[in-house]
């Protein structure tokens, strides 16, 4: 099932390869985030350097994909022409407790007019696109 319409740009790893482990994991239905090997701090988005201790010894850590809604926005104005007929939609900021409280953005699946309680539990859901020109998977969020 596809939540997002066709016509959107295909998400691919950056040319420097920094975020390739993230995209590879999503294709396997897993969520990984960066974690500093020196101090243990989690961070998102991917960076070459730890935001806390400035180490360059960064790794990737698998997390459960379960979190809580920290904030949200109901989007009425399409940010891309392919979304012209798809509004409104919900964007949520999720806190991941098993990643040190790290926060990630994503779409909230379901009725775009639903109530969105702060603190509601969510889980990551992967939308796979294996037949795309460049196969990819997107992480979406669903209330549990």
């Amino acid at each position: 099932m596809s939540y997002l319409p066709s016509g959107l740009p295909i998400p691919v790893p950056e040319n420097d390869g920094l975020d390739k482990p993230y995209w590879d994991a999503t294709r396997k239905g897993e969520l990984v985030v960066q974690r500093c090997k020196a101090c243990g701090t989690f961070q998102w988005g991917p960076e070459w350097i730890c935001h806390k201790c400035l180490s360059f010894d960064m790794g990737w850590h698998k997390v459960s994909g379960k979190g809580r809604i920290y904030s949200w926005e109901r989007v009425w104005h399409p940010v891309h022409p392919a979304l012209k007929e798809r509004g409104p939609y919900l964007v949520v900021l999720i806190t991941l407790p098993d990643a040190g409280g790290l926060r990630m953005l994503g779409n909230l699946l379901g009725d775009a007019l639903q109530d969105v309680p702060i603190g509601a539990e969510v889980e990551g859901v992967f939308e796979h696109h294996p037949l795309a020109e460049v196969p990819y998977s997107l992480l979406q969020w669903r209330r549990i």
Side-chain angles (χ1 to χ4, degrees), residues 34-43 50-51 53-59:
Q34 275 191 316
R35 187 171 194 186
C36 179
K37 294 178 183 178
C39 72
T41 298
F42 291 95
Q43 67 184 34
C50 175
H51 295 170
C53 75
L54 306 181
S55 170
F56 285 95
D57 194 10
M58 300 301 295

Side-chain angles (χ1 to χ4, degrees), residues 37-144:
K37 294 178 183 178
C39 72
T41 298
F42 291 95
Q43 67 184 34
W44 184 260
E47 298 281 350
W48 291 108
I49 190 169
C50 175
H51 295 170
K52 184 174 182 183
C53 75
L54 306 181
S55 170
F56 285 95
D57 194 10
M58 300 301 295
W60 290 90
H61 182 80
K62 183 178 173 182
V63 296
S64 71
K66 293 186 187 275
R68 294 188 177 275
I69 296 174
Y70 180 83
S71 185
W72 64 278
E73 176 73 27
R74 186 171 286 119
V75 180
W76 294 88
H77 179 74
V79 296
H80 188 278
L83 298 172
K84 183 178 178 186
E85 304 298 324
R86 294 298 288 247
Y89 56 94
L90 293 167
V91 176
V92 287
L93 182 60
I94 303 300
T95 300
L96 301 173
D98 63 342
L102 182 76
R103 295 183 187 143
M104 295 182 84
L105 281 172
N107 295 312
L108 182 63
L109 300 177
D111 183 356
L113 300 178
Q114 67 182 290
D115 289 332
V116 184
I118 300 300
E121 293 183 3
V122 293
E123 64 182 350
V125 176
F126 295 91
E127 178 183 312
H128 301 288
H129 296 264
L131 303 178
E133 182 179 331
V134 177
Y136 67 96
S137 296
L138 294 174
L139 174 64
Q140 313 283 9
W141 298 97
R142 173 178 58 210
R143 287 186 51 195
I144 52 176

Side-chain angles (χ1 to χ4, degrees), residues 24-31 62 124 126 128 137:
D24 289 347
T26 62
R27 292 205 43 218
K28 295 186 284 186
E30 298 175 350
L31 176 57
K62 183 178 173 182
F126 295 91
H128 301 288
S137 296

